[in-house]
Amino acid sequence: PAIRPVQPRYEWLYLYAFVCPESGASQFWLVPEVTKQAYQLVVAAFAASLGAGPDHHVLLVEDGAGFHVPPVEGHPPGIETITLPPYSPELQPVERAWNLTDRPLANRCFDSLDELQDVLGRQCAWLETQPDLITQHTLFHWWPLCTN
């Protein structure tokens, strides 16, 4: 067998997702990194997009990922968080959305990160228009429904 040189190269693209299991509303954010700072910026933009504030509270369910850290001054007004127990991805509704985001990516090789971002971005934009599909995948039978 011949030995062949390999040149490993990596480029990264990350997807942050927010879903409301009851309404099916969703937001997807493609970002270049998973860091505390990136997470804080995305949560701030998410809160602003929903009009979160003193009179409009949003509950954000987080896992224990190391980057799920609010800024020193805390999350934006109106954002409340609950952290799931360790090693319990089955309790996180958004975990079931990944198979929806991954569908156009499966078994494909992309020539560039830009091509991957374009395909994934189109899928996420489409998913944001499919609340019934999001609800079908994320609304657990035990999920507490909103009473307002």
Side-chain angles (χ1 to χ4, degrees):
I3 297 175
R4 301 282 182 224
V6 176
Q7 180 183 3
R9 55 193 172 128
Y10 301 97
E11 293 182 276
W12 303 100
L13 178 66
Y14 298 94
L15 178 61
Y16 291 65
F18 301 90
V19 299
C20 177
E22 188 174 351
S23 72
S26 62
Q27 288 189 24
F28 298 90
W29 300 73
L30 296 170
V31 294
E33 60 188 37
V34 172
T35 62
K36 293 174 187 177
Q37 182 181 13
Y39 180 69
Q40 292 166 1
L41 292 170
V42 170
V43 169
F46 171 69
S49 75
L50 294 179
D55 297 324
H56 181 73
H57 293 262
V58 175
L59 180 62
L60 189 57
V61 177
E62 299 174 322
D63 60 24
F67 62 90
H68 286 164
V69 177
V72 174
E73 63 275 6
H75 280 305
I79 295 291
E80 307 294 333
T81 61
I82 184 169
T83 302
L84 294 172
Y87 309 106
S88 59
E90 69 280 0
L91 299 177
Q92 174 62 284
V94 78
E95 288 291 331
R96 291 174 125 183
W98 300 136
N99 69 352
L100 300 173
T101 61
D102 292 350
R103 283 182 183 170
L105 311 180
N107 299 314
R108 287 190 59 187
C109 181
F110 295 92
D111 291 328
S112 69
L113 190 61
D114 288 339
E115 182 185 0
L116 170 66
Q117 184 171 335
D118 183 53
V119 171
L120 182 56
R122 282 197 312 268
Q123 178 71 0
C124 291
W126 178 77
L127 286 169
E128 288 179 355
T129 68
Q130 303 299 312
D132 292 340
L133 183 60
I134 296 294
T135 294
Q136 288 170 17
H137 283 80
T138 62
L139 183 58
F140 301 130
H141 66 89
W142 48 262
W143 190 260
L145 298 179
C146 193
T147 56
N148 314 14

